[in-house]
Amino acid sequence: MAIHFVYNGLENFLNVLRDQKLCAEQAGFDLLVFSKVEHDFLRRHEVMIEREKIRIFEYAPDKQQLILKMPIRALFVAQGLIFKYLTQQMTKVGMKDDDWMLLNGGDFKLENGCTVEPDLALYSMAGEKRTPLFPHIVFEIGISQSVEDLRRRGDDYIRYSKGKINAVICLHAPQNQSHISWVVYKAFRRPNQDQAFESVIWGRGLITFDKDDHSGQHGLPANITTTGPMTIPIGKGPPGTPDEVELIEESLVKITENFILRRWQG
């Protein structure tokens, strides 16, 4: 669920933000939407945004709309689990600490003008002289958003980075419902269309559970399907540098199971 406000100056904006931080988790929403936000809001208030640790979900200048992500415990649980898994995968393929950078909420600007801040973004630094313009793998965790919202966002990431974002992994955990699903979107380029990228579903799974007994005895997920090998390109580096990382279905299942257990155990 998202709560909507009209932007009415910086002081009012900060007052609304601080008030809503206190009640977001209890009230069951994770997004704040401000309309009529000036086009140069982010540039003019960089210091304030950093000081307030504001999580930008999306800023669309053409709509003058700013969407903020609120600090929900369930999101941090999922981020921690995914961060740990990716760190293990990087080590497994022999990458060193300075070969990659995993940012919790790092922001970047897509070619459609939107500034976005995904929940996690993995940048491959192998062979790069500076931070790449776009991350190679992006994670989005949705509670108030619909599956369609996450699908659109995954496609935007791939389409408006022209495939530089190789994969988008979405974890959908709707409030007060007894299922969590994950979907992996992969960059796809049609023949004879060098610059035209779109997303395709690479793998997906669903776990249902009984939230009343909190036991976590939900068994294996249903309807897992894949459309190709679950490996993600992570950029070209010097000779001997791995250029892909495995994304194993069982690991995503484990992440989702742990997310369920920790979420309902508080």
Side-chain angles (χ1 to χ4, degrees), residues 140-193:
E140 280 288 3
I141 304 161
I143 293 179
S144 67
Q145 306 95 288
S146 66
V147 173
E148 291 73 21
D149 287 338
L150 290 175
R151 175 71 178 88
R152 176 188 61 81
R153 185 162 299 275
D155 191 64
D156 284 350
Y157 282 150
I158 289 170
R159 186 184 303 271
Y160 294 111
S161 70
K162 294 188 176 179
K164 294 182 179 69
I165 296 175
N166 297 308
V168 181
I169 302 166
C170 296
L171 187 65
H172 186 239
Q175 283 275 24
N176 302 318
Q177 294 189 39
S178 58
H179 71 271
I180 293 179
S181 59
W182 56 264
V183 180
V184 181
Y185 299 108
K186 170 186 172 182
F188 174 73
R189 183 174 61 192
R190 295 190 179 279
N192 303 319
Q193 295 184 20

Side-chain angles (χ1 to χ4, degrees), residues 35-202:
S35 59
K36 299 186 179 179
V37 179
E38 306 106 324
H39 284 221
D40 60 348
F41 176 89
L42 299 185
R43 180 185 61 79
R44 290 197 296 114
H45 300 300
E46 287 180 66
V47 175
M48 178 275 296
I49 290 169
E50 178 65 25
R51 183 178 65 246
E52 296 290 332
K53 295 182 171 58
I54 293 176
R55 293 291 310 279
I56 299 166
F57 188 66
E58 179 180 276
Y59 177 61
D62 59 326
K63 300 176 183 177
Q64 289 190 290
Q65 185 180 73
L66 176 68
I67 306 176
L68 306 178
K69 183 161 288 188
M70 304 305 290
I72 304 295
R73 278 199 305 267
L75 294 178
F76 295 137
V77 168
Q79 288 171 354
L81 292 167
I82 295 168
F83 190 101
K84 181 179 179 181
Y85 167 69
L86 282 179
T87 300
Q88 292 171 342
Q89 289 299 95
M90 297 295 103
T91 303
K92 181 179 177 181
V93 299
M95 294 185 75
K96 300 177 182 178
D97 288 345
D98 56 0
D99 288 336
W100 57 278
M101 179 171 61
L102 185 60
L103 293 182
N104 192 346
D107 64 348
F108 52 88
K109 189 173 183 178
L110 295 172
E111 294 187 7
N112 64 347
C114 287
T115 298
V116 292
E117 186 177 7
D119 292 300
L120 284 172
L122 186 143
Y123 295 78
S124 171
M125 307 300 290
E128 298 279 358
K129 296 182 179 179
R130 57 183 176 81
T131 304
L133 182 62
F134 297 108
H136 292 80
I137 306 173
V138 166
F139 278 84
E140 280 288 3
I141 304 161
I143 293 179
S144 67
Q145 306 95 288
S146 66
V147 173
E148 291 73 21
D149 287 338
L150 290 175
R151 175 71 178 88
R152 176 188 61 81
R153 185 162 299 275
D155 191 64
D156 284 350
Y157 282 150
I158 289 170
R159 186 184 303 271
Y160 294 111
S161 70
K162 294 188 176 179
K164 294 182 179 69
I165 296 175
N166 297 308
V168 181
I169 302 166
C170 296
L171 187 65
H172 186 239
Q175 283 275 24
N176 302 318
Q177 294 189 39
S178 58
H179 71 271
I180 293 179
S181 59
W182 56 264
V183 180
V184 181
Y185 299 108
K186 170 186 172 182
F188 174 73
R189 183 174 61 192
R190 295 190 179 279
N192 303 319
Q193 295 184 20
D194 291 344
Q195 300 300 316
F197 283 87
E198 59 188 79
S199 63
V200 297
I201 293 180
W202 205 0

